Amino acid sequence: MSASARAHEPSGTPAPFGFERVPVFGFAVLMIACLAAPALGPLATLLQLIALGAMLAIRWRALPGLVPLAVPLLLLPLFAAASTLWSDVPSISLRYGVQLVITVVMGIALGRLLTLRQLVLAVLVGTSIACLLGLATGRTGASEHGPVLIALAGSKNQMAYIALFWLGAALCVAASRGYRPATRIAAAAMTAPAAFLLVQAQSATALVSAAVLTGLLGLLALAAWAGRGGRMFALVAAALLAIPALIALPEIERQATIIQTDVLRKDTRLTGRTLLWEEADRLIAQSPAIGHGYKAIWLGPKGKGLLDRNGQRDGRGFHFHDTFRELMADLGMIGLALFLLPLAFLALRAAVLLVAAIDVPRAFAAATLFTILLRIRTELVVGPFLIDTVMLYAIIAALAAVPLAAAAPGTERPALFRMRGRAAGRLSPQARRNPA
């Protein structure tokens, strides 16, 4: 039985037999690879469902223990499915609500049936497979500056965000002594194509996110040497510095607009996004509490005019470019609250864990979380079979299970993120035999 299964099963569980001895890591890699290849369409979705079913079947003994965590995380998707009761297009809301439930279950399965260290490696392997295959196809898509590689991602922006996950996982695996040397060398090699896909996609948001990701990983590496007191001081100082930042928010937004127009050469209305936001605000005002039904706007009669004005024909892949507005238009303030509550828990939990100890897996979780939240007001990060949604809920589920103490020697031992004292001991013989 794999270490991940033992880590999540209660003491006294009967010894595994037959198919229960099959590791779930390979199915996790398959799931992530398909999430990173949405251009495969129904085939990618089918493979994701097969991978999820296999993981749940193999680890069926652990399922009762997942219920306490799964219930609060499933409130939003269940509310989305329930919106069929008042939706403008009930059949659409039921269909996509059920798909969102499955998507969140995929995230929970990844976060709880793998250790956090295994999750980082699964993200690296899965995104490597999808992106390298996509590079081999040479598939391109349109952009403001001409054709760019989109591989199997479906769009240039999505390609850039998938490459961002790839880059973060590659940097973390390469920096960790918890993996085999060959794995770390391969991870270091993957940083080059990941960075290439990021840059050539010409997505300003993704480039900013990449800079934030690398900078944050560097800061976390430094914080690992500071001890708990130093990390607590840094956390309190950051909170205090946030107060004047909030006060100066209007000026910050003004300067950001100048950068967007003068440096990044974006138009003053963010390529039409502000027009979408104005329309979203109008729709939200019509039904502020419970919204119009999940996906009922873009796939219903109210979205036809919006799609036409934006030169779109298919509402399945179009959105308001603002996760908050998208949720409020579909599910109202109740839906937004059901989304924000787990995020609030996650932010608090991540802060506590990083004060207690910093290692590579925790650093990956924190940095990935931050880069997802960084674009929450300009992109959609919650949707059916969306890699951002799966990663977000996987990190929530994983951090909820991580103990506050430093990682045990030999299980999640970092290189750049070593803890002081006994926690910085050498790898155990067992870990050398099975570092992944």
Side-chain angles (χ1 to χ4, degrees), residues 95-127:
R95 176 185 175 185
Y96 285 93
V98 170
Q99 291 181 8
L100 186 61
V101 170
I102 296 172
T103 304
V104 173
V105 170
M106 287 180 1
I108 295 171
L110 287 175
R112 293 306 298 268
L113 300 182
L114 299 176
T115 65
L116 188 53
R117 186 171 60 89
Q118 288 174 324
L119 177 61
V120 179
L121 185 60
V123 172
L124 172 65
V125 178
T127 52

Side-chain angles (χ1 to χ4, degrees), residues 170-317:
L171 289 172
C172 288
V173 172
S176 173
R177 288 183 178 175
Y179 303 99
R180 294 185 179 97
T183 304
R184 296 176 62 193
I185 293 172
M190 291 301 101
T191 59
F196 167 73
L197 283 176
L198 259 172
V199 173
Q200 69 86 39
Q202 300 178 13
S203 171
T205 303
L207 290 174
V208 172
S209 298
V212 171
L213 173 74
T214 54
L216 186 56
L217 288 174
L219 290 175
L220 289 172
L222 293 175
W225 296 95
R228 293 186 182 183
R231 289 192 292 274
M232 177 62 76
F233 173 79
L235 184 64
V236 173
L240 292 176
L241 289 174
I243 296 176
L246 289 174
I247 296 174
L249 188 58
E251 179 61 21
I252 293 174
E253 291 178 343
R254 190 179 72 84
Q255 293 299 325
T257 301
I258 293 174
I259 293 174
Q260 288 171 336
T261 54
D262 296 348
V263 180
L264 301 179
R265 302 301 179 184
K266 295 282 187 179
D267 65 77
T268 57
R269 301 190 72 84
L270 299 179
T271 322
R273 289 182 183 179
T274 56
L275 298 175
L276 288 173
W277 295 342
E278 291 168 4
E279 187 63 25
D281 292 340
R282 185 185 68 80
L283 291 168
I284 291 167
Q286 293 176 2
S287 182
I290 58 176
H292 298 268
Y294 191 59
K295 296 294 181 183
I297 292 175
W298 293 115
L299 297 176
K302 292 180 179 177
K304 290 182 179 179
L306 279 171
L307 290 172
D308 291 339
R309 287 196 294 273
N310 287 275
Q312 302 290 325
R313 295 183 178 180
D314 190 351
R316 290 176 297 178

Side-chain angles (χ1 to χ4, degrees), residues 27 30-31 34 40-53:
F27 294 107
L30 174 62
M31 182 187 297
C34 292
L40 295 178
L43 176 60
T45 303
L46 176 61
L47 292 176
Q48 290 171 47
L49 295 176
I50 291 173
L52 175 62

